[in-house]
Structures are given as structure tokens and as C-alpha cells.
Amino acid sequence: MIRHLGLKAYGKINLGLDVLRKRDDGYHEVRMIMQTVGLYDKIDIYLKETPGIEVVTNLYYLPVNENNLVYKAAKLLMEEFHVPHGIRIHLKKFIPVSAGMAGGSSDAAAVLFGVNKMFQLGLTREELMKRGVKIGADVPYCIMRGTALSEGIGEILTPLADMPQCQVLIAKPSVSVSTKFVYEHLNLAGLKKEDHPDIDGLIAAIKSRNIYQVSERLGNVLETVTIQEYPVIADIKEKLKELGAVNALMSGSGPTVFGIFTNPIAASNAYEELRYGESRNLAKQVYLTNFYNTKEVPHG
Ligand code: ATP
């Protein structure tokens, strides 16, 4: 029996995010281009002799009970399959929290994968994805990873061609944004045509593997809400472009901003500037990473 598993739960950014309508059940129908990045949380799952799920994390303000998505994910599978053992989950967070990078969803995805493997439950990736959506709309994507079109409430996924490699600078200002707040304040009827990103154009650019065409078409309709609330997001976007990013965009409901760089030297200079230079007060967390497209080693 497997007694320990070490997993990596990768974060995502949105190269495109459009909201089509609010459904009668309150969920929003979206069209998003998802992209995994190389920034990850570390998750270790240990087998316990006694039953029960225990969660330990490095962030004191995160719940360690049922409200943590790793707990929910483990419980969902362990109850369904009447697993007689217990587990202890060590969660080390690196992905910014409440940031629009699906950190919690990715943690849940990694735990679904891990519990399935540890107890040899035999579920396929598709079967894990079906269960994942019960935990959160982005969980199926976090199981799949890579570059993908996400539709419906996030559960209808179409894989897209891998993005060409380049540097991605991630900057999160010191504000926390509630996804619920952003969607509730999105005034779909009042939006102009140019507030909506050209998702089809973005898909075509991804297919042609042209990073400049992709960058030109980056767009996120939720910026209309979050930037209004936190203008620092627009300041970070401007600064990233000034420092050489081909383009910059807010990810998810924010407040994280990412900049795409094709010049590695410009990218590392921009990192230094945001982290230690005169612009250091714009963002609290800054990471230099890249697109992560390796699907071969699941969560390894
Ligand atoms: P999304 O991009 O899907 O909108 P997010 O980046 O806005 O996600 P997360 O960091 O995934 O948000 O989750 C933030 C909220 O979820 C916080 O209220 C936090 O307490 C709760 N939470 C539960 N489990 C986790 C987890 N494993 N990691 C981070 N947050 C978690």
C-alpha cells in the first residue's frame, strides 16, 4: 500500500475570460481560455492508521476543516469508496489565495488524483473530473490542465494547442477579491462590445501558435468590475507593459495581474523592479514563471 504521495497543484491564469449570461440557477455561463502556469502548491498525503482526514497548512488563516477544498476532495472519494483508513494532508501554499488563480481548485484536483492513486480506486481522469465539479467549477480543468477552452459554468472543456514558451510575470496587489462580489457586480446589460474579449480570435491565435497574436487578444470582462474597485490593477498592467511585457491582463476575478514576456532579460528585470525597485509597493506577491503544459506526469 502507498504510504506517502508528494503532489504539485499548479495555478492557472486566464488568457481570455468572457461571461455570456446569468443562468436561472444563479451561475454564470462563461467562455474562458485557461492556461496552467509553473507556480504550484505542494501537497503531501500521508496514510494514517486511524480513520479521519487531518489537514495541516502553512497559512494560519486557511481553514483546516471541511471548508478547505483539500478536505472536501478527500472526503468525497473516501466516503464514496468506504476507505477504512485515514490520511493527513500537508498543504504548503505558494499560489496566492483569493487571487483568481484557482489555487484552492487546483489543490482539490491534486487530492482527488492522490486519493485515487493511494487507495487504488481505479477512477479514470474523466471520472475524477465528473466528481471534481461537485467541489468547484474550475476543479475539472485543474485535473486536465494545460491550455483549454472552458465553457458552461467551467465544466465543458476543450483542450487547445500548447502555448509557445515564454516568461510570465505574476503580480498580486495586497487586496483580496471575492469572486462572488465580482460576479454579483458585473453589469452584463451595461457592457460595451469592446468590454468582451474575442475568444474565437484568441482560439485561432493559439492554434497558429503566434504569441504576439495571442497577446493582442488577451481580454477579461471581469476587469470592468475589479479595476473599478481596485485601480492598482490598472497601474500594475501599465507598469508591466512599460517594463517590456508584450501584454498584461488580470486573471480570473482578480486581483492578480500577469504579464507575458518574450524577452527573458526584460522579464527578469521587470521582476527585480516589481520586487525590489521603485515599483515594489504595487504588488505584494511577485513571481516569475512560465506556461506549464506538461500533462504526461499527472501532478508529479
Ligand atoms: P478562483 O480563481 O477559482 O476564483 P481564487 O484564487 O479566487 O480562485 P482560492 O485561493 O482558490 O480563490 O480560494 C480562496 C477562498 O477559498 C478563501 O476564502 C479560502 O479560505 C478558501 N479555501 C479553501 N480551501 C483552500 C485552499 N486549499 N487554498 C486556498 N484557499 C482555500
Side-chain angles (χ1 to χ4, degrees):
M1 168 133 18
I2 299 171
R3 307 197 72 83
H4 167 240
L5 271 176
L7 304 161
K8 290 175 181 169
Y10 289 87
K12 64 88 180 147
I13 54 173
N14 294 98
L15 301 173
L17 194 162
D18 199 12
V19 179
L20 306 183
R21 65 180 187 101
K22 191 173 179 183
R23 305 195 318 192
D24 294 339
D25 61 7
Y27 282 101
H28 285 84
E29 209 171 294
V30 293
R31 275 191 104 206
M32 309 190 283
I33 306 290
M34 319 286 275
Q35 173 62 55
T36 311
V37 290
L39 180 61
Y40 57 83
D41 291 340
K42 284 181 91 167
I43 297 179
D44 287 279
I45 307 181
Y46 298 92
L47 185 72
K48 267 194 329 164
E49 295 311 326
T50 47
I53 300 162
E54 208 183 301
V55 177
V56 184
T57 171
N58 61 324
L59 295 186
Y60 71 89
Y61 53 85
L62 282 187
V64 288
N65 55 16
E66 289 230 19
N67 293 326
N68 197 305
L69 298 185
V70 297
Y71 191 110
K72 278 197 182 134
K75 184 170 176 226
L76 188 131
L77 287 192
M78 289 169 79
E79 278 191 358
E80 180 182 344
F81 288 87
H82 307 289
V83 174
H85 308 279
I87 56 171
R88 194 171 69 245
I89 303 171
H90 282 232
L91 169 63
K92 203 165 178 194
K93 294 289 299 181
F94 295 99
I95 303 170
V97 176
S98 294
M101 293 191 68
S105 303
S106 189
D107 295 344
V111 168
L112 288 175
F113 173 86
V115 168
N116 184 44
K117 184 167 178 180
M118 182 169 257
F119 299 112
Q120 290 157 12
L121 305 181
L123 293 171
T124 62
R125 196 171 76 151
E126 283 63 34
E127 287 167 336
L128 288 178
M129 286 162 70
K130 228 178 247 169
R131 284 158 177 84
V133 76
K134 294 182 194 158
I135 301 167
D138 284 344
V139 176
Y141 165 72
C142 292
I143 293 172
M144 176 173 164
R145 303 178 301 172
T147 313
L149 169 69
S150 161
E151 296 174 292
I153 62 160
E155 83 291 14
I156 306 169
L157 295 165
T158 312
L160 300 172
D162 286 353
M163 287 288 287
Q165 252 334 320
C166 51
Q167 286 70 45
V168 181
L169 187 57
I170 288 172
K172 184 198 171 259
S174 64
V175 292
S176 288
V177 173
S178 137
T179 305
K180 195 165 169 268
F181 173 91
V182 175
Y183 275 96
E184 274 173 9
H185 287 79
L186 179 67
N187 175 12
L188 275 176
L191 290 181
K192 299 188 285 289
K193 192 172 177 283
E194 58 268 29
D195 292 327
H196 291 277
D198 174 12
I199 297 291
D200 290 324
L202 201 44
I203 293 170
I206 290 169
K207 265 192 195 144
S208 68
R209 305 200 77 231
N210 183 324
I211 190 66
Y212 296 99
Q213 283 178 15
V214 171
S215 298
E216 249 169 50
R217 291 168 175 79
L218 298 181
N220 181 347
V221 75
L222 299 180
E223 284 188 343
T224 57
V225 182
T226 319
I227 293 187
Q228 177 106 0
E229 201 71 18
Y230 303 108
V232 66
I233 293 166
D235 298 341
I236 297 176
K237 284 180 66 175
E238 270 322 296
K239 182 53 74 181
L240 286 169
K241 288 189 248 181
E242 194 186 304
L243 293 168
V246 193
N247 204 353
L249 188 76
M250 183 182 88
S251 183
S253 51
T256 299
V257 176
F258 65 89
I260 294 181
F261 289 79
T262 50
N263 176 343
I265 297 170
S268 71
N269 287 343
Y271 171 81
E272 294 287 320
E273 171 60 21
L274 281 179
R275 188 93 166 74
Y276 308 109
E278 279 174 16
S279 316
R280 66 182 176 279
N281 293 328
L282 283 178
K284 195 168 177 219
Q285 287 165 281
V286 187
Y287 303 94
L288 185 53
T289 180
N290 48 21
F291 296 138
Y292 181 83
N293 285 314
T294 311
K295 301 178 189 98
E296 290 75 29
V297 187
H299 307 282

